[in-house]
Amino acid sequence: MFYIRRYQLFLVIAGCIVFIFYYAADYSRLKYPASYPEPAAPPQIPVRFSKLPENFPVTSFKPLPTVVPAKLPVIQCSFDDETPTENIRRGQRTKAVRENFKHAWEGYKTYAWLKDEVTPISGQHMSTFNGWAATLVDTLDTLWIMGLHQEFEEAVKAVESIDFTMSANSMVNVFETTIRYLGGLLGAYDISGGKYPSLVQKASDIGEILYAAFDTPNRMPVTRWELLAYVRGDRQTAAATTLVAELGSLTLEFTRLSQLTGNPKYYDAVERISDLFEAQQNSTKLPGMWPVVVNAAAGSLTADGYFTLGGMSDSVYEYLPKQHMILGGAVDRYRKMYEAAIKTVTKNLLFRPMTKNNEDVLISGNVRVSEAEGVQLITEGQHLTCFIGGVIGISAKIFNRPDDLVTARKLVDGCIWAYESMPTGIMPEIFQAVPCESKDSCEWNEQTWYRAITKGQYRGGLLDPD
């Protein structure tokens, strides 16, 4: 009996090793579409920004909407009164989160103050985002939310000393700089009730620098912007290979900057991008969605055939309802774009995974479209897609789509299921799942699951028809 058990253990271990090597050899297929450009580390060449005359100036700016904003529906749920036990438990959890945050913040202050990132093991720091204190700026609103107002004011004073014209790196990632720096400064200004005007001034400083990346023939931004080439006076053009999230996720921050400064050029810049997205939304290989890779130089969003709500695409879809909200519902096209997108997502990307307890949950997968094989669902889950349940939930409220709350809940439950399925209690960043034949009913089938992970019939999330 001992020999048999040992032999069975050997088979399990051997199968796991084969499985690991099998996927390791093909990992790029699981994580990135074939056309995705692998990001290079930004060159560590300090550059001083100096604004130059524009080669392709805008002669007429699209103004912010002047109509009275609509009264948007309330998003938040109205919870029942807490019991004393529930109140104590929530207080304990709140305290634990706050104490963990304070620990991380003190570590940053001690080892990397005014630097981009702390390296927690060595106690050193890195200039990953141009050396403009990314962690500090990106954490401002969290300090306020946590009630750490003294630390917030200390951080605001530190922000005032940042010279955004001096970059530690020669390459500026326009998307990352927008969401971390511009968004961080504007979010902190708004959440603190507009009491710290220096935050808007600093946002204007970084906004002016970023605006120079839009000086291209078609006014599409250079998303991986070579600052050194710009200050030399080289003429710019947007990239022929651009990640869709980097092009389509600038609207909120640029719009809010125009709202606070009264300067319409920032809103105009992102509206030109939105014009492009709206015009081509129903002309892609999966109408309603935009592919991961687009050609910003040619203004073409239709060539690639890989679609996802995960990395490299996620925030495009997140920003649609939020842009509707930040404009007070005054521009209806973001609602229309969202509704077209979510219709396609629901039909083609969402699937029910087969689970041992037959949980009624949903996962957002990926889709590959080709002439030879048509629309193929890749039943791969990503941690990055966990945002979509919240986005669909918000949109269900503001666009009066109550039935979508059911979908939103199942997507959130899908991420909870993925967390609870792991021995560590931590959801994998990327994982494969065996899909149910129907979203409505699904029974666990041990043989189907076992075959999928042991016999090589589940490459890249695509079930082998044999």
Side-chain angles (χ1 to χ4, degrees), residues 73-148:
V74 174
I75 294 171
Q76 287 78 11
C77 176
S78 179
F79 292 98
D80 296 332
D81 292 338
E82 289 180 313
T83 65
T85 301
E86 289 170 340
N87 181 268
I88 292 171
R89 184 185 301 116
R90 182 173 59 82
Q92 291 171 336
R93 290 171 175 173
T94 301
K95 181 180 178 182
V97 171
R98 193 169 184 268
E99 291 303 314
N100 274 279
F101 171 80
K102 288 171 66 176
H103 170 79
W105 179 247
E106 289 301 321
Y108 172 73
K109 285 178 63 177
T110 302
Y111 297 103
W113 186 243
L114 280 171
K115 305 298 181 183
D116 286 345
E117 294 185 85
V118 63
T119 51
I121 295 177
S122 65
Q124 302 299 309
H125 52 75
M126 297 188 297
S127 294
T128 319
F129 301 103
N130 304 93
W132 296 325
T135 294
L136 190 153
V137 175
D138 210 8
T139 307
L140 287 169
D141 55 352
T142 306
L143 286 166
W144 189 270
I145 291 169
M146 294 283 183
L148 302 172

Side-chain angles (χ1 to χ4, degrees), residues 137-211:
V137 175
D138 210 8
T139 307
L140 287 169
D141 55 352
T142 306
L143 286 166
W144 189 270
I145 291 169
M146 294 283 183
L148 302 172
H149 294 168
Q150 182 176 339
E151 290 86 347
F152 177 87
E153 292 191 352
E154 179 186 10
V156 169
K157 287 178 181 163
V159 166
E160 292 169 357
S161 70
I162 299 172
D163 181 4
F164 285 113
T165 66
M166 189 67 214
S167 172
N169 310 324
S170 64
M171 193 274 284
V172 175
N173 186 311
V174 170
F175 164 71
E176 296 285 357
T177 304
T178 297
I179 65 171
R180 298 181 190 281
Y181 291 112
L182 188 54
L185 293 164
L186 296 173
Y189 175 80
D190 282 337
I191 204 168
S192 59
K195 299 175 184 176
Y196 301 88
S198 64
L199 294 172
V200 176
Q201 181 55 58
K202 283 297 181 180
S204 298
D205 292 347
I206 193 67
E208 188 69 18
I209 295 170
L210 290 170
Y211 189 76

Side-chain angles (χ1 to χ4, degrees), residues 174-334:
V174 170
F175 164 71
E176 296 285 357
T177 304
T178 297
I179 65 171
R180 298 181 190 281
Y181 291 112
L182 188 54
L185 293 164
L186 296 173
Y189 175 80
D190 282 337
I191 204 168
S192 59
K195 299 175 184 176
Y196 301 88
S198 64
L199 294 172
V200 176
Q201 181 55 58
K202 283 297 181 180
S204 298
D205 292 347
I206 193 67
E208 188 69 18
I209 295 170
L210 290 170
Y211 189 76
F214 288 75
D215 186 24
T216 65
N218 64 356
R219 299 302 301 183
M220 293 297 107
V222 185
T223 56
R224 304 290 177 98
W225 185 34
E226 288 294 340
L227 194 57
L228 186 60
Y230 171 80
V231 298
R232 283 199 310 254
D234 296 356
R235 291 213 167 193
Q236 303 179 144
T237 185
T241 302
T242 301
L243 296 179
V244 70
E246 294 187 353
L247 183 63
S249 306
L250 310 173
T251 48
L252 288 174
E253 294 84 358
F254 275 68
T255 296
R256 188 59 181 148
L257 185 59
S258 280
Q259 289 175 336
L260 291 175
T261 62
N263 190 334
K265 72 179 186 180
Y266 305 109
Y267 177 69
D268 173 84
V270 292
E271 277 293 285
R272 293 170 187 272
I273 299 173
S274 294
D275 288 343
L276 194 68
F277 275 67
E278 182 182 35
Q280 298 184 36
Q281 182 174 15
N282 292 318
S283 301
T284 67
K285 293 181 178 179
L286 192 65
M289 295 185 71
W290 302 276
V292 169
V293 177
V294 297
N295 186 337
S300 173
L301 313 179
T302 61
D304 191 31
Y306 193 86
F307 299 82
T308 182
L309 292 178
M312 305 172 286
S313 291
D314 46 0
S315 47
V316 170
Y317 303 95
E318 171 196 352
Y319 273 37
L320 295 175
K322 292 181 178 180
Q323 182 71 355
H324 178 89
M325 288 190 287
I326 205 170
L327 291 171
V331 177
D332 197 43
R333 73 163 163 185
Y334 293 101

